[in-house]
Amino acid sequence: MADETVLTPDLGFIKSLKGAGAETMKKCYQCATCSVICPLSPDDNPFPRKEMIMAQWGLKDDLANNPDIWLCHNCNDCSKYCPRGAGPGDVLSALRKIAIQENAFPKGLGKILGEPKMIWLALLIPAIIFMIAMKIKTGYFFQIPEGEVVFSKFFPISLVDTIFVPIALLVTISFVVSIGRFWKSLNKNPYKLMASGTILSGLIATIKEIVSHSKFDKCDANKDRVWAHRLVLFGFVGLFITTNWAVFNLYGLNWESPYPLNDPDAVAIFGSEAAAGLYRGVFKLTGNASAAILLIGSIMMFANRVKDKGFSSVSSSFDWTLAIMVFAVCVTGILSEVLRLANAASLAYPMYFAHLIVVFYIIAYLPFSKLAHMVYRTTAITYAKMANRDVV
Ligand code: SF4
Ligand code: SF4
């Protein structure tokens, strides 16, 4: 007699999956059209058909261990051709959201921040922290300084360091623990994809793929997502470089924003005002170009989300929050600079304050937000490459 396999559906998991955007999953009748259509699915054990039945049956552990949900790039070709409107692309997207919440450290925080209604609290927390810090440092909760607009007069650089350096460290620790958990679970996946290659070779191949967006280029239904995603990624990378460059300017060159050309220290370092001006110009161009690229990418992201694709595709609050925050960080950053140049103090300082809140939101909640998918996807694709699973 054949061995019996007892499946234990997790009803709570099914409920939370539906709440995360997979309401349509019960419509699936296992025709496998989605697995045939998917341009990224391997021939062996293709996705997303099998994930659809695992989701319907509430097999939480098997899905949590499954690297395939991260090989999907959410192009929604499968949703376009699904004869039942079961939205397999959205189901995989919901599964990724839950995987981020389940692996997040601290786990409870992941669940709380995943709630759309918590966004206001998540924004209020940095506002309160900043005001208390300003009160301690300057004696005022919020005061517009006199004279030329210089942001460090309003929110001293020492406060930026005191708040953001520990936050960056905590985020790093959170990611190390979360990704450690995730890697452990990948090693228990039901398809026994035991990794055989080296992590480094898998990681290098994955980074090349991410930079070129070669997988995205295979999409059909949502092809225009490629450029939005590419621009957002490049914009973030550019701003990351600019931020570290600014830290070098401040602590390496002892030259503080807004970088006056007649600063004797700068002239001593660069030899002349002209050379200092050239250096400053390249630095500013990098920062402004990165912000512009990110802004265009975020507008395209918005447009793609609202565009009628002619098939069932759900954008969850998780996706919308990312699009809104990326857009907000660009707009507040660009307006802060424009208002500073216009010396409109009463508008420039509040705008800069709003910018700091959004920057805090993006950095501090990174391990719990949609942006965390960058780290999870990179990890899962690396694992899949090591296991010869990601062969498309
Ligand atoms: S999700 Fe749609 S296309 Fe895929 S197996 Fe189910 S019914 Fe078929
Ligand atoms: S959304 Fe795209 S990549 Fe993901 S399973 Fe469907 S067709 Fe494949």
Side-chain angles (χ1 to χ4, degrees), residues 109-120:
L109 203 52
K111 289 206 168 136
I112 292 169
L113 289 168
E115 291 289 322
K117 56 184 179 232
M118 298 310 285
I119 189 168
W120 299 113

Side-chain angles (χ1 to χ4, degrees), residues 286-303:
T286 308
N288 289 334
S290 302
I293 289 170
L294 189 60
L295 180 64
I296 295 168
S298 66
I299 291 171
M300 287 171 72
M301 212 182 244
F302 261 115

Side-chain angles (χ1 to χ4, degrees), residues 124-142:
L124 191 62
I125 288 170
I128 292 171
I129 291 174
F130 293 159
M131 288 171 82
I132 291 173
M134 283 197 290
K135 171 78 177 160
I136 293 169
K137 183 78 183 172
T138 66
Y140 299 98
F141 282 115
F142 192 103

Side-chain angles (χ1 to χ4, degrees), residues 40-345:
L40 306 183
S41 188
D43 294 338
D44 178 31
N45 272 325
F47 60 84
R49 184 204 60 80
K50 65 182 188 311
E51 283 71 21
M52 291 301 285
I53 200 155
M54 289 157 99
Q56 286 179 331
W57 287 349
L59 303 182
K60 180 181 174 186
D61 291 341
D62 293 340
L63 284 162
N65 300 338
N66 184 355
D68 288 6
I69 64 173
W70 297 94
L71 302 186
C72 159
H73 281 46
N74 206 19
C75 69
N76 262 322
D77 285 6
C78 53
S79 298
K80 181 179 173 186
Y81 291 101
C82 171
R84 297 276 293 170
D90 298 325
V91 174
L92 291 194
S93 181
L95 285 167
R96 288 189 291 272
K97 175 185 174 183
I98 289 180
I100 289 175
Q101 289 178 352
E102 287 292 321
N103 286 295
F105 173 77
K107 193 166 170 177
L109 203 52
K111 289 206 168 136
I112 292 169
L113 289 168
E115 291 289 322
K117 56 184 179 232
M118 298 310 285
I119 189 168
W120 299 113
L121 180 63
L123 289 168
L124 191 62
I125 288 170
I128 292 171
I129 291 174
F130 293 159
M131 288 171 82
I132 291 173
M134 283 197 290
K135 171 78 177 160
I136 293 169
K137 183 78 183 172
T138 66
Y140 299 98
F141 282 115
F142 192 103
Q143 196 198 33
I144 307 283
E146 299 285 328
E148 186 193 355
V149 175
V150 176
F151 290 133
S152 56
K153 287 195 308 196
F154 166 73
F155 198 86
I157 287 169
S158 59
L159 285 189
V160 175
D161 292 347
T162 308
I163 293 171
F164 282 95
V165 171
I167 291 289
L169 277 175
L170 289 174
V171 166
T172 307
I173 292 168
S174 173
F175 262 129
V176 168
V177 177
S178 310
I179 295 302
R181 281 178 183 167
F182 182 51
W183 189 265
K184 253 193 199 166
S185 75
L186 286 177
N187 267 319
K188 288 191 281 187
N189 74 76
Y191 303 105
K192 304 285 181 272
L193 303 177
M194 299 312 290
S196 57
T198 67
I199 291 184
L200 187 64
S201 61
L203 186 62
I204 290 171
T206 302
I207 289 172
K208 272 189 201 162
E209 186 181 296
I210 289 170
V211 171
S212 66
H213 276 58
S214 54
K215 285 283 171 67
F216 261 117
D217 274 333
K218 294 177 192 286
C219 295
D220 171 31
N222 258 325
K223 207 163 184 55
D224 40 5
R225 268 189 69 226
V226 178
W227 271 104
H229 204 271
R230 212 174 245 150
L231 293 178
V232 168
L233 175 68
F234 292 164
F236 267 125
V237 170
L239 289 176
F240 178 76
I241 292 170
T242 310
T243 304
N244 285 291
W245 195 344
V247 171
F248 171 75
N249 289 343
L250 181 62
Y251 295 111
L253 304 181
N254 204 20
W255 198 22
E256 189 178 324
S257 172
Y259 309 112
L261 291 179
N262 57 2
D263 182 337
D265 289 339
V267 174
I269 292 164
F270 294 103
S272 67
E273 276 191 23
L278 182 64
Y279 176 90
R280 184 176 77 162
V282 175
F283 169 73
K284 295 248 172 189
L285 184 66
T286 308
N288 289 334
S290 302
I293 289 170
L294 189 60
L295 180 64
I296 295 168
S298 66
I299 291 171
M300 287 171 72
M301 212 182 244
F302 261 115
N304 288 339
R305 296 225 173 278
V306 296
K307 205 161 32 177
D308 176 17
K309 295 287 183 189
F311 59 89
S312 167
S313 175
V314 179
S315 281
S316 68
S317 57
F318 201 54
D319 302 317
W320 275 111
T321 307
L322 171 67
I324 291 167
M325 287 303 158
V326 171
F327 183 69
V329 82
C330 291
V331 171
T332 54
I334 291 169
L335 284 179
S336 295
E337 184 166 352
V338 169
L339 293 167
R340 178 182 68 78
L341 293 172
N343 211 27

